Amino acid sequence: MKNILLFFLGCITLISCEENKANFVTIIESPNKNIKVNFSLSSEKQPMYVVSFKNETVIDTSKMSFDLKDALSLETDFKILNTTTDTFNETWQMVWGEDQEVINNYNSLKIELQETSELKRKLNIIFKVYNDGIGFRYEFPKQENLTNVTITDENTEFNLTGNHKTWWIPGDWDIYEYLYTTSKFSDINAFKDYIPGAHLGQTYIPENAVNTPVTMKTDTGLYLSFHEADLTDYAGMTLAVDTINLEMKSELVGNSKGIKVSRATPFKTPWRAIQIAEKPGDLIESKLIINLNEPNSVEDMSFFTPTKYVGIWWDMHIGTGNWDYAGKNHAANTKYAKELIDFASENNINAMLVEGWNIGWEQWWDKKAKKVHFDFVTPYPDYNLQEVVAYGKSKNVALIMHHETSADITLYEKQLDTAFALMKELKIHAVKTGYVGSVIPEGEYHHGQFMVNHYQKVLEKGIENQVAINAHEPIKATGKRRTYPVAISREGVRGQEYNAWSDDGGNPPEHLTIVPFTRMLGGPIDYTPGIFNTTLKPYKVKNQVNTTLAHQLALYVVLYSPVQMVPDLIKNYKNNPAFQFIRDVGVDWKKTKVLDAEIGDYIIVARQEKKSKKWFVGAITDENLRTIKINLDFLEEGKTYIATIYKDASGSHYLKNPEAYKISKQNVTKETILTIKLAAGGGCAISIVKNQ
Ligand code: NOJ
Ligand code: CA
């Protein structure tokens, strides 16, 4: 399948560059020649790189080094032993995803370095340059003077060329559940938005740093996004921000002992990735992050089919039910589960999640009292697990298991085998995991190497037992779904649940016009769209969902996940004509196109369903009403289609009149350009079906 052509790029030059006193400048270009990376050694013989796009420098001279425990830093005095170039071009198929086919085309350069000083330690740097960005990683080869490596700091610099407009969240070591701030790079202040109590986890923000993906717009109109790919057996990377020199530097997540990464050589770091785009939508259509990961290693993924799912979930968040059995209103009972199964099977929904089914929820918050004793195989007395699974099976509705661990990894890992064996026995093929609160063992953080390895262990258990994983409070998505398609979705975002209970007014309408260009560049999001009772009356007085109903519908297209929840109470969907869109909308795609967007203002996405070939369009706006044009030129030449349009009614508004919408039908063709008014906080969802 692979088509590797070794070829000498011809653009490799060994010249000395007077200007930055560098010697050995090596240049590598993207296949379309728009992106160029210059690699060189400084006058102190330290590795450094420069990136340009269409001859405009986008990353200026940036150095690379590592600080190690009980050893000299790997920093200067390097010589180049060897350089190798490659070009690669393949088209691979996604098992499930936004696009069926993915083009993976890059030029690569491997630089083998060795210290000239006594220790003669070796370090390799590999660049891959694509048309949509670059990735580079470090390789620590097996060698005598570097066997066990303890990294106390990775110092990869990203030297910006201007004071870019930046969409960022703080570099929290435990949680990504923040609203994005839009500011000039020089105004980043990671502590500013820290709101005690507004998060479900311990928050630890040691310095002015941001989490990735972090996205920027330059004054020249380019879009840049910084992230990492293939985060394996290594610490997650935050980016420390130097607001004076307009520079970022990798700041790995450590533990309380000050250790970032412990590995034995040989090993490779994750890829440091920079997406470069001329249009915001190109960031979303880019496959850089997933392409930087290894091909699929799971032979048989037939046990998982992308699906919509209902659940016993929103009840707990709006307070109509409880997770625990000791109090009142235990929601996870057999009767309610069966009602949901009936509703799902009547509405083209093939799965159901049940939270609060297992014993241990009575003090699940109460870490200090050390009273969290989850058991992942024993149901509460009013929930008959076997009966629910069998009933679901009879109606073609699969159960999604739930494991809230309260981040007690010691407890969970002891039970992993039995918990997964139970799912195997019952033929349950998906689990939602959760890691609320601070990590046990104490001193570890959600985004450090210890936890990266834990999340990986759970993926491996999933592969062994044919169980797909949807992790909440996860490690960020870094494209590993390519190698492990069992990693179906994850949270790692300020999700819908904040609208139900946060003290800060919930997620503003703008939130989801930023998330697709930041968090979603990593991979699928379990946001749980689709709340129809946006005012949350009569259950919540102080909270509400800050969008219109039509905006909620559009999210099924705008946000990508192979599992999309249909979370609202059954009664809010029944007899509501807008529910037809949720019944119809796809979850597995042949093609994805971002039709138009401006980060933080609006986004219009079209996706074609893999099986049915139907098209679905979703458009959302921030707090401003706007009129958008939707160009349907992606449709087939010479064919006519019926478009069913679900849009805000005139007078609808996310605060004053959120649930007012209009449904209309019209014939459309490739030539059609629809003009649609979106209300403040509004949206529009369209299904497009070919006329037979
Ligand atoms: C937080 C998760 O984000 C949410 O979806 C879940 O319901 C609770 N934890 C309980 O596990
Ligand atoms: Ca959460």
Side-chain angles (χ1 to χ4, degrees), residues 467-585:
V467 178
I469 316 293
N470 170 11
H472 277 226
E473 298 77 41
I475 186 66
K476 61 185 155 184
T478 59
K480 290 179 73 160
R481 63 183 162 130
R482 179 177 182 195
T483 321
Y484 309 100
V486 286
I488 48 173
S489 197
R490 74 191 72 205
E491 192 187 39
V493 74
R494 218 176 112 116
Q496 184 86 275
E497 62 196 33
Y498 280 79
N499 293 324
W501 42 251
S502 81
D503 291 339
D504 60 0
N507 300 339
E510 182 189 53
H511 184 49
L512 293 174
T513 64
I514 301 175
V515 164
F517 304 95
T518 48
R519 157 67 183 86
M520 204 170 83
L521 302 179
I525 310 181
D526 190 31
Y527 182 81
T528 60
I531 298 302
F532 276 17
N533 176 22
T534 58
T535 62
L536 307 181
K537 281 185 187 138
Y539 313 111
K540 289 279 179 166
V541 190
K542 293 193 183 138
N543 303 86
Q544 71 162 73
V545 176
N546 294 310
T547 75
T548 67
L549 188 148
H551 179 123
Q552 289 291 310
L553 293 180
L555 294 178
Y556 286 91
V557 187
V558 170
L559 299 177
Y560 173 65
S561 174
V563 284
Q564 286 282 30
M565 194 171 200
V566 181
D568 209 344
L569 307 183
I570 296 174
K571 65 175 184 197
N572 295 327
Y573 292 133
K574 274 203 169 151
N575 305 320
N576 191 327
F579 190 60
Q580 188 58 40
F581 183 79
I582 296 185
R583 261 185 219 119
D584 293 341
V585 69

Side-chain angles (χ1 to χ4, degrees), residues 200 313 317 323 355 402 404 432 436 472-473 491 497:
L200 276 181
W313 177 76
H317 290 272
W323 283 282
E355 296 201 4
H402 187 234
E404 173 55 61
K432 169 178 169 181
V436 168
H472 277 226
E473 298 77 41
E491 192 187 39
E497 62 196 33

Side-chain angles (χ1 to χ4, degrees), residues 1-5 31 87-93 101-108 128-133 271 286-296 482:
M1 189 174 78
K2 281 185 190 171
N3 169 25
I4 306 178
L5 283 176
T87 189
F88 187 82
N89 194 358
E90 67 168 356
T91 301
W92 58 276
Q93 306 275 323
E101 290 198 333
V102 176
I103 294 171
N104 184 15
N105 182 204
Y106 60 83
N107 291 326
S108 70
K128 287 188 178 178
V129 185
Y130 295 73
N131 291 340
D132 49 351
W271 294 95
S286 157
K287 293 291 181 296
L288 181 74
I289 299 300
I290 196 161
N291 271 334
L292 283 168
N293 280 264
E294 298 299 315
N296 182 7
R482 179 177 182 195

